[in-house]
Amino acid sequence: MARRRRAGDLLVPGAQPGLDRLKMEVAQEIGMMPPGVASPRAYEDALDRQKWEVAAELGLAGRIQQVGWGEMTTRDCGAIGGRLGGRLGGQMVKRMIALAEQQLARNG
């Protein structure tokens, strides 16, 4: 019997390194990371900085500093993640569509 997919499992085995590279490239393109810095640690640091910037924009940074991330409501964390994900995720989708169009043009 086939194993059921869990949330977070990739549909294509072995795709994670490619997705990680794409995230870092897009993060550099939108100014989230400095150009030429392409390490997972630099990406995580950049993501953390962005998370704090969004929290400040939403007026939540002071509260997070007082109580910590673990005591924030799901709604507040979702607001931060939604805005942050929109910045990076939207650009990643655009890039993936462009790559698919290029592939179709080559094979079509």
Side-chain angles (χ1 to χ4, degrees), residues 89-99:
Q91 294 302 315
M92 285 184 62
V93 169
K94 287 179 185 177
R95 174 68 83 79
M96 287 187 276
I97 290 171
L99 291 170

Side-chain angles (χ1 to χ4, degrees), residues 21 39 41 59 62 66 78-79 87 95 107:
R21 277 192 308 279
S39 73
R41 178 67 186 165
Q66 287 176 346
R87 289 180 184 170
R95 174 68 83 79
N107 295 332

Side-chain angles (χ1 to χ4, degrees), residues 17-31 86-104 106:
L19 285 172
D20 289 343
R21 277 192 308 279
L22 178 63
K23 284 180 192 176
M24 286 188 277
E25 286 175 18
V26 171
Q28 287 177 339
E29 288 174 11
I30 64 173
R87 289 180 184 170
L88 183 60
Q91 294 302 315
M92 285 184 62
V93 169
K94 287 179 185 177
R95 174 68 83 79
M96 287 187 276
I97 290 171
L99 291 170
E101 288 173 342
Q102 289 173 2
Q103 192 72 12
L104 286 171
R106 272 185 256 164

Side-chain angles (χ1 to χ4, degrees), residues 20-77:
D20 289 343
R21 277 192 308 279
L22 178 63
K23 284 180 192 176
M24 286 188 277
E25 286 175 18
V26 171
Q28 287 177 339
E29 288 174 11
I30 64 173
M32 213 172 126
M33 285 179 58
V37 178
S39 73
R41 178 67 186 165
Y43 174 74
E44 292 298 324
D45 290 346
L47 201 56
D48 196 50
R49 280 191 304 278
Q50 288 285 314
K51 192 166 50 172
W52 280 101
E53 284 180 26
V54 171
E57 289 171 11
L58 296 174
L60 298 171
R63 184 156 178 261
I64 295 167
Q65 288 172 337
Q66 287 176 346
V67 301
W69 285 101
E71 296 301 315
M72 296 301 292
T73 66
T74 303
R75 178 181 292 263
D76 290 342
C77 288

